Each structure stands twice: as C-alpha cells, then as structure tokens.
Amino acid sequence: MTADARILHRALAFFQPPALIRNPDADEPDAFEAGMIENHKMKPARVIGPLGEPLTLDSLPPQSTTRWVVRRKAEVVAAVTGGLLSVEDACARYNLTPEEFATWQRAVDRSGMAGLRVTRIQHYKSLYQRQQRP
C-alpha cells in the first residue's frame, strides 16, 4: 500500500459515520449487518455549517474555487464531518489532496476556524506541539 493510499484509508476510517461502525461487544447484529441499511451512501440533505447556517450541496463553495478563505475551508470540513460529502467527493470536487483536507480537519479540531488562517498555521502548530509535551 502506497503512502497516499494509507493516508486516504486513515482519513476514510476517521470520517466513517458512527452508525455504520460495528460494535464488537454487541450481542445482536447491528442494522448494517442485518440489511436494514441497504445503501450506506445515504447522505443528509443539509448539515449545519461552521457559522450555524444550513449547508446544502448547492450552498457549498463553487467547484472552481481557487481562493480558499477560512469560511470556505470550514464549510467543506463541516460538509464532510456532517456526511453531506465524503472525503473522496470533497477532494475530487475541489481538487484537494487527502493530506490537504486532513490538515484543514486537524486545524478545525484543534483551534476552530481560526486555525484555518494561513498566517496562524505555524503559531497553532507550535502551540499544539507544546501542549502535547509531557
């Protein structure tokens, strides 16, 4: 498995919807195994965006976006997190690498929308590394 494939596999495992993750301690088969979910690619019609507004596929940034401001990055991350888009769909739609998307996701998880600011990436990265030291 190549390095890119490993990174994509990890990103996909991270974004697996919780309802589809099997609980190994459960005594009965989950809904996915029992065939109750026939199409695991079910997606919500809308999700809540980073500013609290509803996001739909139509309200996401245009596919031709080349200038990635904080709000647009956060909207794409929210769409993937909420299940509106898969990681692969987002990467294909916006011509992103899995690493680039994973960087956006980590920045949002660690520092919120402010972490997506290009001028603050180094600051937040060093701050997070200092917090992780014993």
Side-chain angles (χ1 to χ4, degrees):
M1 186 181 285
T2 67
D4 286 342
R6 278 194 301 273
I7 290 170
L8 183 58
H9 178 72
R10 285 186 196 140
L12 292 176
F14 181 75
F15 293 111
Q16 185 74 17
L20 300 180
I21 297 174
R22 182 169 171 0
N23 180 357
D25 299 328
D27 292 334
E28 56 190 43
D30 59 16
F32 186 72
E33 288 182 338
M36 296 169 75
I37 300 175
E38 294 178 12
N39 180 7
H40 104 220
K41 293 184 179 181
M42 294 177 5
K43 296 180 182 179
R46 62 184 176 172
V47 297
I48 302 301
L51 302 175
E53 78 288 357
L55 286 177
T56 63
L57 287 176
D58 293 334
S59 66
L60 287 174
Q63 292 182 2
S64 59
T65 299
T66 56
R67 185 169 180 267
W68 286 101
V69 295
V70 171
R71 181 187 51 80
R72 291 180 186 151
K73 292 177 186 180
E75 287 176 346
V76 173
V77 170
V80 171
T81 303
L84 191 61
L85 286 175
S86 68
V87 175
E88 300 104 336
D89 292 342
C91 289
R93 180 179 177 128
Y94 296 111
N95 197 26
L96 303 171
T97 63
E99 296 88 359
E100 186 173 17
F101 179 80
T103 300
W104 292 0
Q105 178 65 48
R106 264 192 315 274
V108 169
D109 290 345
R110 291 178 180 172
S111 307
M113 284 181 61
L116 292 169
R117 299 181 89 181
V118 174
T119 56
R120 302 298 287 171
I121 289 174
Q122 282 301 110
H123 169 75
Y124 286 114
K125 183 178 177 182
S126 65
L127 179 66
Y128 181 76
Q129 288 170 346
R130 279 183 278 166
Q131 290 174 349
Q132 295 302 312
R133 291 185 192 148

